[in-house]
Coordinates of all heavy atoms in Angstrom, one line a residue:
M2 N -5.1 -18.3 7.4 CA -5.4 -17.5 8.6 C -6.8 -17.0 8.4 O -7.0 -16.0 7.7 CB -4.4 -16.4 8.8 CG -4.7 -15.5 10.0 SD -3.6 -14.1 10.1 CE -2.0 -15.0 10.4
P3 N -7.9 -17.6 8.9 CA -9.2 -17.2 8.7 C -9.5 -15.8 9.3 O -9.0 -15.5 10.4 CB -10.1 -18.3 9.3 CG -9.2 -19.1 10.1 CD -7.8 -18.8 9.7
G4 N -10.2 -15.0 8.6 CA -10.6 -13.7 9.2 C -9.4 -12.7 9.1 O -9.5 -11.6 9.7
S5 N -8.4 -13.0 8.4 CA -7.2 -12.1 8.3 C -7.6 -10.9 7.4 O -8.5 -11.0 6.6 CB -6.0 -12.8 7.8 OG -6.2 -13.3 6.6
Y6 N -6.9 -9.8 7.6 CA -7.1 -8.6 6.9 C -5.9 -8.4 6.0 O -4.8 -8.4 6.4 CB -7.2 -7.4 7.9 CG -7.7 -6.1 7.3 CD1 -9.0 -5.8 7.1 CD2 -6.7 -5.2 6.9 CE1 -9.4 -4.6 6.6 CE2 -7.1 -3.9 6.4 CZ -8.5 -3.7 6.2 OH -8.9 -2.5 5.7
L7 N -6.2 -8.2 4.7 CA -5.1 -8.1 3.7 C -5.0 -6.7 3.2 O -5.9 -6.0 3.0 CB -5.4 -9.0 2.5 CG -5.6 -10.5 2.7 CD1 -5.9 -11.2 1.4 CD2 -4.3 -11.0 3.4
V8 N -3.7 -6.3 3.1 CA -3.4 -5.0 2.5 C -2.6 -5.3 1.3 O -1.5 -5.9 1.3 CB -2.5 -4.2 3.5 CG1 -2.2 -2.8 2.9 CG2 -3.3 -4.0 4.8
R9 N -3.1 -4.8 0.1 CA -2.4 -5.1 -1.2 C -1.9 -3.8 -1.7 O -2.4 -2.7 -1.5 CB -3.4 -5.7 -2.2 CG -3.9 -7.0 -1.7 CD -4.9 -7.5 -2.7 NE -5.6 -8.7 -2.2 CZ -5.5 -9.9 -2.7 NH1 -4.8 -10.1 -3.7 NH2 -6.1 -10.9 -2.1
Y10 N -0.8 -3.9 -2.5 CA -0.2 -2.8 -3.2 C -0.3 -3.0 -4.7 O 0.1 -4.1 -5.2 CB 1.3 -2.6 -2.7 CG 1.4 -2.3 -1.3 CD1 1.4 -3.3 -0.3 CD2 1.5 -1.0 -0.8 CE1 1.5 -3.0 1.1 CE2 1.5 -0.7 0.5 CZ 1.5 -1.7 1.5 OH 1.6 -1.4 2.8
V11 N -0.7 -1.9 -5.4 CA -0.9 -2.0 -6.8 C -0.1 -0.9 -7.5 O -0.2 0.2 -7.2 CB -2.4 -1.9 -7.2 CG1 -2.6 -1.9 -8.7 CG2 -3.2 -2.9 -6.5
G12 N 0.8 -1.4 -8.4 CA 1.6 -0.4 -9.2 C 2.9 -0.1 -8.6 O 3.2 -0.4 -7.4
G13 N 3.8 0.4 -9.4 CA 5.2 0.8 -8.9 C 6.0 -0.4 -8.4 O 5.7 -1.5 -8.6
P14 N 7.0 -0.1 -7.6 CA 7.9 -1.1 -7.1 C 7.3 -2.0 -6.1 O 7.8 -3.1 -5.8 CB 9.1 -0.3 -6.4 CG 8.5 1.0 -6.1 CD 7.4 1.3 -7.2
L15 N 6.2 -1.7 -5.4 CA 5.6 -2.6 -4.5 C 4.4 -3.4 -5.1 O 3.8 -4.1 -4.4 CB 5.0 -1.7 -3.3 CG 6.0 -1.0 -2.5 CD1 5.3 -0.2 -1.3 CD2 7.1 -1.8 -1.9
D16 N 4.3 -3.3 -6.4 CA 3.2 -4.0 -7.1 C 3.2 -5.5 -6.7 O 4.3 -6.2 -6.8 CB 3.3 -3.9 -8.6 CG 2.1 -4.4 -9.3 OD1 1.0 -4.1 -8.8 OD2 2.2 -5.1 -10.3
G17 N 2.1 -6.0 -6.3 CA 2.0 -7.5 -6.0 C 2.3 -7.8 -4.5 O 2.0 -8.9 -4.0
R18 N 2.8 -6.8 -3.7 CA 3.0 -7.1 -2.3 C 1.7 -7.2 -1.6 O 0.8 -6.4 -1.8 CB 3.9 -5.9 -1.7 CG 4.1 -6.1 -0.3 CD 5.0 -4.9 0.3 NE 5.0 -4.9 1.7 CZ 5.8 -4.1 2.4 NH1 6.6 -3.3 1.8 NH2 5.8 -4.2 3.7
V19 N 1.6 -8.1 -0.6 CA 0.5 -8.3 0.2 C 0.9 -8.5 1.6 O 1.8 -9.3 2.0 CB -0.3 -9.6 -0.2 CG1 -1.5 -9.8 0.7 CG2 -0.8 -9.5 -1.7
D20 N 0.4 -7.6 2.5 CA 0.7 -7.7 3.9 C -0.6 -8.3 4.6 O -1.7 -7.9 4.3 CB 1.0 -6.3 4.6 CG 2.3 -5.7 4.1 OD1 3.1 -6.5 3.6 OD2 2.4 -4.5 4.1
T21 N -0.4 -9.3 5.5 CA -1.5 -9.9 6.2 C -1.5 -9.5 7.7 O -0.5 -9.6 8.4 CB -1.4 -11.4 6.1 OG1 -1.3 -11.8 4.8 CG2 -2.5 -12.1 6.8
L22 N -2.6 -8.9 8.1 CA -2.8 -8.4 9.5 C -3.8 -9.3 10.2 O -4.7 -9.9 9.5 CB -3.2 -7.0 9.5 CG -2.4 -6.0 8.7 CD1 -3.0 -4.6 8.7 CD2 -1.0 -5.9 9.2
D23 N -3.7 -9.4 11.5 CA -4.6 -10.2 12.3 C -6.0 -9.6 12.3 O -7.0 -10.2 12.4 CB -4.2 -10.4 13.7 CG -2.9 -11.3 13.8 OD1 -2.8 -12.2 12.9 OD2 -2.2 -11.2 14.7
A24 N -6.1 -8.2 12.2 CA -7.3 -7.5 12.3 C -7.2 -6.2 11.5 O -6.1 -5.8 11.1 CB -7.7 -7.2 13.7
S25 N -8.3 -5.6 11.2 CA -8.4 -4.4 10.5 C -7.7 -3.3 11.4 O -8.0 -3.1 12.5 CB -9.8 -4.0 10.2 OG -9.9 -2.7 9.7
P26 N -6.8 -2.5 10.8 CA -6.3 -1.4 11.6 C -7.3 -0.3 11.9 O -8.2 -0.1 11.1 CB -5.2 -0.8 10.6 CG -5.5 -1.2 9.3 CD -6.3 -2.5 9.4
E27 N -7.3 0.3 13.1 CA -8.3 1.3 13.5 C -8.3 2.5 12.6 O -9.3 3.0 12.2 CB -8.1 1.7 14.9 CG -8.5 0.6 15.9 CD -8.4 1.1 17.3 OE1 -8.6 2.3 17.6 OE2 -8.2 0.3 18.2
N28 N -7.1 3.0 12.3 CA -7.0 4.2 11.4 C -5.9 3.9 10.4 O -4.7 4.3 10.6 CB -6.6 5.4 12.3 CG -7.7 5.7 13.3 OD1 -8.8 5.8 12.9 ND2 -7.3 5.9 14.5
P29 N -6.2 3.3 9.3 CA -5.2 3.0 8.3 C -4.7 4.4 7.7 O -5.5 5.3 7.6 CB -5.9 2.2 7.2 CG -7.4 2.4 7.4 CD -7.5 2.8 8.9
K30 N -3.4 4.4 7.3 CA -2.9 5.6 6.7 C -3.5 5.9 5.4 O -3.7 4.9 4.6 CB -1.4 5.4 6.5 CG -0.6 5.3 7.8 CD 0.9 5.1 7.5 CE 1.6 4.9 8.8 NZ 3.1 4.7 8.6
S31 N -3.8 7.1 5.1 CA -4.4 7.4 3.8 C -3.4 7.4 2.7 O -3.8 7.2 1.5 CB -5.1 8.8 3.8 OG -4.2 9.8 4.1
T32 N -2.1 7.6 3.0 CA -1.1 7.5 2.0 C 0.1 6.8 2.6 O 0.5 7.0 3.7 CB -0.6 8.9 1.6 OG1 -1.8 9.6 1.0 CG2 0.5 8.9 0.5
V33 N 0.7 5.9 1.8 CA 2.0 5.3 2.1 C 3.1 5.8 1.2 O 2.9 5.8 0.0 CB 1.9 3.7 2.0 CG1 3.2 3.0 2.2 CG2 0.9 3.2 3.0
T34 N 4.2 6.2 1.7 CA 5.3 6.6 0.9 C 6.4 5.6 0.9 O 6.8 5.1 2.0 CB 5.9 8.0 1.5 OG1 4.8 8.9 1.5 CG2 7.0 8.5 0.6
H35 N 6.9 5.2 -0.3 CA 8.0 4.3 -0.5 C 9.1 5.0 -1.0 O 9.0 5.6 -2.1 CB 7.5 3.1 -1.4 CG 8.6 2.2 -1.7 ND1 9.4 2.2 -2.8 CD2 9.1 1.1 -1.0 CE1 10.2 1.2 -2.8 NE2 10.1 0.6 -1.7
V36 N 10.3 5.0 -0.4 CA 11.5 5.6 -0.8 C 12.5 4.6 -1.2 O 12.9 3.7 -0.5 CB 12.1 6.6 0.2 CG1 13.3 7.2 -0.3 CG2 11.1 7.6 0.7
H37 N 13.0 4.7 -2.5 CA 13.9 3.7 -3.0 C 15.3 4.4 -3.1 O 15.5 5.4 -3.7 CB 13.5 3.3 -4.4 CG 14.4 2.3 -5.0 ND1 14.5 1.0 -4.6 CD2 15.4 2.4 -6.0 CE1 15.4 0.3 -5.4 NE2 16.0 1.2 -6.2
L38 N 16.2 3.9 -2.3 CA 17.6 4.4 -2.3 C 18.5 3.5 -3.0 O 18.5 2.3 -2.8 CB 18.1 4.6 -0.8 CG 17.2 5.5 0.0 CD1 17.7 5.5 1.5 CD2 17.2 7.0 -0.5
H39 N 19.3 4.0 -3.9 CA 20.3 3.2 -4.6 C 21.5 4.1 -5.0 O 21.6 5.1 -4.4 CB 19.6 2.6 -5.9 CG 19.0 3.6 -6.7 ND1 19.6 4.3 -7.7 CD2 17.7 4.1 -6.7 CE1 18.8 5.2 -8.3 NE2 17.6 5.1 -7.7
G40 N 22.3 3.7 -5.9 CA 23.5 4.4 -6.3 C 23.2 5.8 -6.9 O 24.0 6.7 -6.9
G41 N 22.0 6.0 -7.4 CA 21.6 7.2 -8.1 C 20.8 8.1 -7.2 O 20.8 8.0 -5.9
P42 N 19.9 8.9 -7.8 CA 19.1 9.8 -7.0 C 18.0 9.0 -6.2 O 17.6 7.9 -6.7 CB 18.4 10.7 -8.0 CG 18.5 10.0 -9.3 CD 19.7 9.1 -9.2
K43 N 17.5 9.5 -5.2 CA 16.4 8.9 -4.4 C 15.1 9.0 -5.2 O 14.8 10.0 -5.9 CB 16.2 9.7 -3.1 CG 15.0 9.6 -2.4 CD 15.0 10.3 -1.0 CE 14.7 11.7 -1.1 NZ 14.5 12.3 0.2
I44 N 14.3 7.9 -5.2 CA 13.1 7.8 -6.0 C 12.0 7.6 -4.9 O 12.0 6.7 -4.1 CB 13.1 6.6 -7.0 CG1 14.2 6.8 -8.0 CG2 11.8 6.5 -7.7 CD1 14.4 5.6 -8.9
V45 N 11.0 8.5 -5.0 CA 9.9 8.4 -4.0 C 8.6 8.1 -4.8 O 8.2 8.7 -5.8 CB 9.7 9.8 -3.3 CG1 8.5 9.7 -2.4 CG2 11.0 10.2 -2.6
H46 N 7.8 7.1 -4.2 CA 6.5 6.7 -4.8 C 5.5 6.9 -3.7 O 5.7 6.6 -2.5 CB 6.5 5.3 -5.2 CG 7.4 5.0 -6.4 ND1 8.7 4.5 -6.2 CD2 7.1 5.1 -7.7 CE1 9.2 4.4 -7.4 NE2 8.3 4.7 -8.4
H47 N 4.3 7.4 -4.0 CA 3.2 7.6 -3.1 C 2.1 6.6 -3.5 O 1.7 6.5 -4.7 CB 2.7 9.0 -3.1 CG 3.7 10.0 -2.7 ND1 4.1 10.2 -1.4 CD2 4.5 10.8 -3.5 CE1 5.0 11.1 -1.4 NE2 5.3 11.5 -2.6
Y48 N 1.5 5.9 -2.5 CA 0.4 5.0 -2.7 C -0.8 5.5 -1.9 O -0.7 5.8 -0.7 CB 0.7 3.6 -2.2 CG 1.8 2.9 -3.0 CD1 3.1 3.2 -2.9 CD2 1.4 2.0 -4.0 CE1 4.1 2.5 -3.7 CE2 2.3 1.3 -4.8 CZ 3.7 1.6 -4.6 OH 4.6 1.0 -5.4
D49 N -2.0 5.6 -2.5 CA -3.2 6.1 -1.9 C -4.1 5.0 -1.5 O -4.2 4.0 -2.2 CB -3.9 7.1 -2.8 CG -3.0 8.4 -3.0 OD1 -2.4 8.9 -2.0 OD2 -2.9 8.8 -4.2
L50 N -4.8 5.1 -0.4 CA -5.6 4.1 0.2 C -6.9 4.0 -0.6 O -7.6 5.0 -0.9 CB -6.0 4.4 1.6 CG -6.9 3.5 2.4 CD1 -6.3 2.1 2.5 CD2 -7.3 4.1 3.7
H51 N -7.3 2.8 -0.9 CA -8.6 2.4 -1.5 C -9.1 1.2 -0.8 O -8.4 0.3 -0.5 CB -8.5 2.1 -3.0 CG -8.1 3.3 -3.8 ND1 -8.9 4.2 -4.4 CD2 -6.8 3.7 -4.1 CE1 -8.3 5.1 -5.0 NE2 -7.0 4.8 -4.9
Y52 N -10.4 1.2 -0.4 CA -10.9 0.0 0.3 C -11.4 -1.1 -0.7 O -11.9 -0.8 -1.8 CB -12.1 0.4 1.2 CG -11.6 1.1 2.4 CD1 -11.7 2.5 2.5 CD2 -11.1 0.4 3.5 CE1 -11.2 3.2 3.6 CE2 -10.6 1.1 4.6 CZ -10.7 2.5 4.6 OH -10.2 3.2 5.7
A53 N -11.2 -2.3 -0.3 CA -11.6 -3.5 -1.1 C -12.4 -4.3 -0.1 O -11.9 -5.0 0.7 CB -10.4 -4.2 -1.7
V54 N -13.7 -4.2 -0.2 CA -14.6 -4.9 0.7 C -14.4 -6.3 0.9 O -14.4 -6.9 2.0 CB -16.1 -4.6 0.3 CG1 -17.0 -5.3 1.3 CG2 -16.4 -3.1 0.3
E55 N -14.0 -7.0 -0.2 CA -13.9 -8.5 -0.1 C -12.7 -9.0 0.7 O -12.6 -10.1 1.2 CB -13.8 -9.1 -1.5 CG -12.7 -8.7 -2.3 CD -12.9 -7.4 -3.1 OE1 -13.9 -6.7 -2.9 OE2 -12.0 -7.0 -3.8
Y56 N -11.6 -8.1 1.0 CA -10.5 -8.6 1.7 C -9.8 -7.6 2.6 O -9.0 -8.0 3.5 CB -9.4 -9.2 0.7 CG -8.9 -8.3 -0.3 CD1 -8.0 -7.3 0.0 CD2 -9.4 -8.3 -1.6 CE1 -7.5 -6.4 -1.0 CE2 -9.0 -7.4 -2.5 CZ -8.0 -6.5 -2.2 OH -7.6 -5.6 -3.2
G57 N -10.0 -6.3 2.4 CA -9.3 -5.4 3.3 C -9.2 -4.0 2.6 O -10.1 -3.4 2.2
C58 N -7.9 -3.7 2.3 CA -7.7 -2.4 1.6 C -6.6 -2.6 0.6 O -5.8 -3.6 0.6 CB -7.4 -1.3 2.6 SG -5.9 -1.4 3.5
E59 N -6.5 -1.6 -0.2 CA -5.5 -1.6 -1.3 C -4.9 -0.2 -1.4 O -5.5 0.8 -1.3 CB -6.3 -1.9 -2.6 CG -5.5 -2.2 -3.8 CD -6.5 -2.7 -4.9 OE1 -7.0 -1.8 -5.6 OE2 -6.6 -3.9 -5.0
Y60 N -3.6 -0.2 -1.5 CA -2.9 1.0 -1.8 C -2.5 1.0 -3.2 O -1.7 0.2 -3.7 CB -1.6 1.1 -0.9 CG -2.0 1.5 0.5 CD1 -2.0 0.5 1.5 CD2 -2.2 2.8 0.9 CE1 -2.3 0.8 2.8 CE2 -2.5 3.1 2.2 CZ -2.6 2.1 3.2 OH -2.9 2.5 4.5
R61 N -2.9 2.1 -4.0 CA -2.7 2.2 -5.4 C -1.7 3.3 -5.7 O -1.8 4.4 -5.1 CB -3.9 2.5 -6.2 CG -4.9 1.3 -6.0 CD -6.2 1.6 -6.8 NE -7.2 0.7 -6.5 CZ -8.5 0.9 -6.7 NH1 -8.9 2.0 -7.3 NH2 -9.4 0.0 -6.3
L62 N -0.7 3.0 -6.6 CA 0.3 4.0 -6.9 C -0.4 5.3 -7.4 O -1.3 5.3 -8.2 CB 1.2 3.5 -8.0 CG 2.3 4.4 -8.5 CD1 3.3 4.6 -7.4 CD2 3.0 3.8 -9.7
R63 N 0.0 6.4 -6.9 CA -0.6 7.7 -7.2 C 0.0 8.1 -8.6 O 1.2 8.1 -8.9 CB -0.2 8.8 -6.2 CG -0.8 10.1 -6.5 CD -0.3 11.2 -5.5 NE -0.7 10.8 -4.2 CZ -0.3 11.4 -3.1 NH1 0.7 12.3 -3.2 NH2 -0.7 11.1 -1.9
E64 N -1.0 8.5 -9.5 CA -0.6 9.0 -10.8 C -0.3 10.4 -10.7 O -1.1 11.2 -10.1 CB -1.7 8.7 -11.8 CG -2.0 7.2 -12.0 CD -0.9 6.4 -12.6 OE1 -0.2 7.0 -13.5 OE2 -0.7 5.3 -12.3
H65 N 0.8 10.9 -11.3 CA 1.1 12.3 -11.2 C 0.6 13.0 -12.4 O 0.5 12.7 -13.5 CB 2.6 12.5 -11.1 CG 3.1 11.9 -9.8 ND1 3.0 12.6 -8.6 CD2 3.7 10.8 -9.5 CE1 3.5 11.9 -7.6 NE2 4.0 10.8 -8.2

């Protein structure tokens, strides 16, 4: 898909995930929250926005 806009996730449970959009979002979210629900307690991860000029943007796992 030529001209596509890629959103990559780095770190945590979403590491390696790539979403392909037709165009750049007008107002990308500054933070994405991922909630993992399973048999135990809820686990929450926060990813912060970083721009990557060559392909789009990248959400990196927030270090606490």
Side-chain angles (χ1 to χ4, degrees):
M2 179 183 297
S5 60
Y6 189 86
L7 300 180
V8 179
R9 297 177 190 245
Y10 295 85
V11 178
L15 298 181
D16 189 45
R18 176 177 169 172
V19 177
D20 293 335
T21 304
L22 307 176
D23 290 334
S25 170
E27 287 186 28
N28 297 310
K30 296 179 182 180
S31 60
T32 300
V33 172
T34 302
H35 176 263
V36 179
H37 180 74
L38 301 174
H39 54 87
K43 160 173 85 168
I44 300 173
V45 179
H46 294 93
H47 299 281
Y48 290 82
D49 296 315
L50 177 66
H51 295 271
Y52 287 98
V54 177
E55 63 276 5
Y56 58 80
C58 66
E59 189 172 86
Y60 284 98
R61 297 181 192 161
L62 180 66
R63 182 184 298 167
E64 298 295 326
H65 295 281

